[in-house]
Amino acid sequence: MKYVFPEHFWWGSASSALQTEGDSRQGGKSPTIWDNWYANEPWRFHQQVGPQETSTFYRNWRQDIALLKQLNHNSFRTSLSWSRLIPDGTGEVNPQAVAFYNNVIDELLAQGIKPFITLFHFDMPMAMQEKGGWENRDVVAAFSRYAQVCFELFGDRVMHWFTFNEPIVPVEGGYLYDFHYPNVVDFKRAATVAYHTVLAHASAVQAFRAGLYAGEIGIVLNLTPSYPRSQNPADVSAAHHADLLFNRSFLDPVLRGEYPADLVALLKTWDQLPACRPGDRALIAEGKIDLLGVNYYQPRRVKCRDSAVNPLAPFMPEWLFENYEMPGRKMNPYRGWEIYEPGIYDILTNLRVNYDNPRCFISENGMGVENEQRFAENGQINDRYRIEFVSEHLKWLHKGISEGSNCLGYHMWTFIDNWSWCNGYKNRYGLVQLDLASQQRTVKKSGEWFAATAADNGFN
Ligand code: BGP
């Protein structure tokens, strides 16, 4: 069977500023939380390099955009760096950064590649974190002003904007599970950070609408379908709670313009509601988007708790459910994440049935692999596992579209092996192999496969 995708389908990949630009202290850029974390806490990452070691897109942008063209991309998402554009977070705009991003956007357009631009991809300027980061409501206004600066500078050419990439990740990593800066474990602070992120998103959307810019604005969410262990009501309720906390806490505000009533009731019950102000509701209602980016890597499998919680311990999501490893599940043997291709179809179906079928696209999907060099044949990585991973996901995506889902494209994570937040270069995701030391780029087999698929708008 041939899987043919709709006309004008977006084929491309995603990346982010900090993971690719390098030169993290050059060109007038100020440090982000990540630059500082790696500089100050190397004991956490003893074998890893920090974000200064990348494919150096800051200097290699022309060469890399030529490679995107070679891979038949018609669209490409990357982020702007707040700390490069406005080094102190709120003040003067850095002309060197403006020149760099103008070059990137103009070159993408010259090559027939639509620039999809994210405003914030995990990289909080240190200057803003010192003021409390997303815990401080003032950062909402600072972000909104940064967004307006970007719309003014680049809005004549960028037609697809995204306020945030995976806003739940800094909440989980930084305020719940201790794998991101600032390494706090406190649910109430996590809820405040999530709430302020939603307000920051809505303020940016409001400014975009007020400025009458061309094009559209959205957000990129990592949606993890939550599957219960069984249809037993306790397991189903556990899955519902996981969905509320990790998907719907962002999905409902941006698609429906309001929080789910049962999430609000849940947080009230546990005395975990963040502080709200008059006018917040109206602002959140203005944050409804034009386009949803869906990042999908793996599902969440949950069950009800087997044991009672300690009522004296601080509240955590795990009071409401437990994660569970489904026996016989298919694993990515090179990364440790479950592979469940129908999940992509379930997400699309949920959006179609329960959210009025929004315009959406798959904004990240991909397979991280350790020690990928072992699959090299005649100097090229023969990553047939990645081709299988992508084609199997695309089949389920195709099914979703054929049933009416309004999915407009598929972007892979990622174009070139890149630096990752907690893993450095351990897990490689690229369609193009990067030799970090020599900076040499070599297209992998999956890159050739992807280029052919994009050119044919489908595959057999
Ligand atoms: C997503 C992020 C990306 C990227 C990817 C792979 O959550 O948006 O920035 O890092 O995951 O994850 P990792 O590099 O941790 O394997």
Side-chain angles (χ1 to χ4, degrees):
M1 167 172 177
K2 178 144 194 202
Y3 296 89
V4 179
F5 287 81
E7 221 187 334
H8 308 304
F9 200 66
W10 296 326
W11 294 102
S13 59
S15 74
S16 82
L18 201 68
Q19 291 179 274
T20 56
E21 284 180 6
D23 282 350
S24 52
R25 301 304 278 268
Q26 267 76 49
K29 181 180 169 299
S30 70
T32 63
I33 53 175
W34 294 94
D35 299 295
N36 271 31
W37 207 32
Y38 275 86
N40 300 335
E41 301 195 39
W43 53 270
R44 290 184 73 100
F45 305 100
H46 50 283
Q47 287 176 329
Q48 281 161 38
V49 294
Q52 74 281 5
E53 306 251 4
T54 67
S55 50
T56 323
F57 187 66
Y58 188 66
R59 275 176 274 153
N60 293 328
W61 52 273
R62 197 185 293 278
Q63 177 191 2
D64 281 348
I65 293 171
L67 264 173
L68 294 175
K69 175 84 183 157
Q70 188 185 324
L71 297 179
N72 288 328
H73 281 37
N74 59 21
S75 44
F76 173 64
R77 179 169 69 99
T78 191
S79 64
L80 305 179
S81 161
W82 185 355
S83 65
R84 194 181 282 289
L85 264 171
I86 307 177
D88 73 359
T90 52
E92 294 292 306
V93 175
N94 170 14
Q96 293 179 77
V98 177
F100 166 59
Y101 290 123
N102 272 331
N103 283 337
V104 169
I105 290 165
D106 290 343
E107 182 64 12
L108 284 167
L109 289 168
Q111 297 302 333
I113 301 168
K114 291 181 174 57
F116 285 36
I117 299 296
T118 316
L119 294 170
F120 188 93
H121 193 129
F122 305 169
D123 53 348
M124 181 65 94
M126 201 58 218
M128 302 313 297
Q129 190 65 38
E130 276 160 2
K131 296 180 180 166
W134 295 119
E135 269 190 277
N136 178 353
R137 244 187 108 119
D138 294 346
V139 176
V140 172
F143 175 79
S144 180
R145 188 253 173 177
Y146 157 62
Q148 287 172 63
V149 165
C150 297
F151 301 149
E152 276 300 306
L153 287 168
F154 313 115
D156 56 337
R157 287 153 291 156
V158 173
M159 296 296 131
H160 306 278
W161 291 98
F162 302 91
T163 53
F164 286 87
N165 177 78
E166 301 191 351
I168 194 85
V169 169
V171 177
E172 289 179 86
Y175 294 86
L176 283 179
Y177 300 124
D178 193 28
F179 61 88
H180 269 205
Y181 191 92
N183 300 98
V184 170
V185 178
D186 183 324
F187 189 92
K188 187 110 176 215
R189 291 174 69 180
T192 301
V193 165
Y195 185 61
H196 289 169
T197 311
V198 167
L199 295 179
H201 159 85
S203 297
V205 173
Q206 191 184 45
F208 184 79
R209 308 266 183 245
L212 301 175
Y213 298 99
E216 56 187 347
I217 189 159
I219 193 168
V220 169
L221 301 181
N222 52 318
L223 298 179
T224 46
S226 297
Y227 299 110
R229 171 182 56 180
S230 73
Q231 288 309 307
N232 167 328
D235 285 338
V236 170
S237 158
H240 174 68
H241 286 141
D243 188 40
L244 274 181
L245 289 173
F246 293 106
N247 296 319
R248 295 187 57 198
S249 53
F250 283 96
L251 192 58
D252 282 39
V254 302
L255 288 182
R256 296 190 172 141
E258 60 185 15
Y259 277 98
D262 37 359
L263 176 62
V264 177
L266 186 76
L267 296 190
K268 223 179 229 169
T269 307
W270 297 105
D271 191 24
Q272 300 294 329
L273 270 186
C276 309
R277 291 187 191 167
D280 284 2
R281 269 196 148 173
L283 176 60
I284 291 168
E286 288 198 45
K288 281 166 80 172
I289 54 170
D290 308 313
L291 174 66
L292 176 69
V294 174
N295 292 357
Y296 175 65
Y297 288 91
Q298 57 175 343
R300 187 186 291 273
R301 308 234 176 234
V302 299
K303 62 183 176 74
C304 65
R305 288 184 57 89
D306 292 330
S307 55
V309 292
N310 171 3
L312 298 177
F315 176 82
M316 282 293 275
E318 289 66 27
W319 282 31
L320 305 169
F321 62 85
E322 270 179 13
N323 292 314
Y324 133 88
E325 293 187 359
M326 187 178 72
R329 66 196 181 140
K330 179 157 125 193
M331 295 296 290
N332 167 357
Y334 316 115
R335 170 69 169 91
W337 285 355
E338 179 178 349
I339 298 178
Y340 185 66
E341 301 91 345
I344 213 165
Y345 167 81
D346 289 344
I347 291 171
L348 291 184
T349 306
N350 178 41
L351 291 173
R352 176 167 59 79
V353 173
N354 297 316
Y355 290 89
D356 219 7
N357 205 11
R359 283 164 58 77
C360 66
F361 76 113
I362 301 302
S363 39
E364 285 182 31
N365 179 229
M367 185 179 186
V369 176
E370 276 187 49
N371 300 323
E372 204 169 28
Q373 193 54 47
R374 72 192 128 142
F375 300 110
E377 290 170 13
N378 304 319
Q380 184 189 39
I381 289 178
N382 187 355
D383 50 347
R384 50 175 79 86
Y385 41 84
R386 184 170 286 112
I387 296 172
E388 185 190 324
F389 178 99
V390 177
S391 56
E392 290 305 309
H393 280 85
L394 280 172
K395 285 178 192 170
W396 283 98
L397 181 62
H398 186 269
K399 180 172 160 60
I401 294 171
S402 65
E403 291 176 14
S405 282
N406 203 359
C407 179
L408 307 169
Y410 177 83
H411 280 187
M412 279 201 64
W413 188 266
T414 179
F415 152 59
I416 190 166
D417 292 338
N418 64 10
W419 174 80
S420 177
W421 315 97
C422 298
N423 302 310
Y425 284 87
K426 198 167 121 209
N427 303 308
R428 303 274 180 140
Y429 285 85
L431 295 169
V432 176
Q433 180 196 3
L434 172 71
D435 182 320
L436 194 56
S438 69
Q439 288 284 307
Q440 194 185 324
R441 285 115 162 99
T442 313
V443 175
K444 300 178 192 175
K445 273 273 184 262
S446 60
E448 293 172 356
W449 182 89
F450 188 87
T453 300
D456 286 357
N457 199 30
F459 64 97
N460 284 305

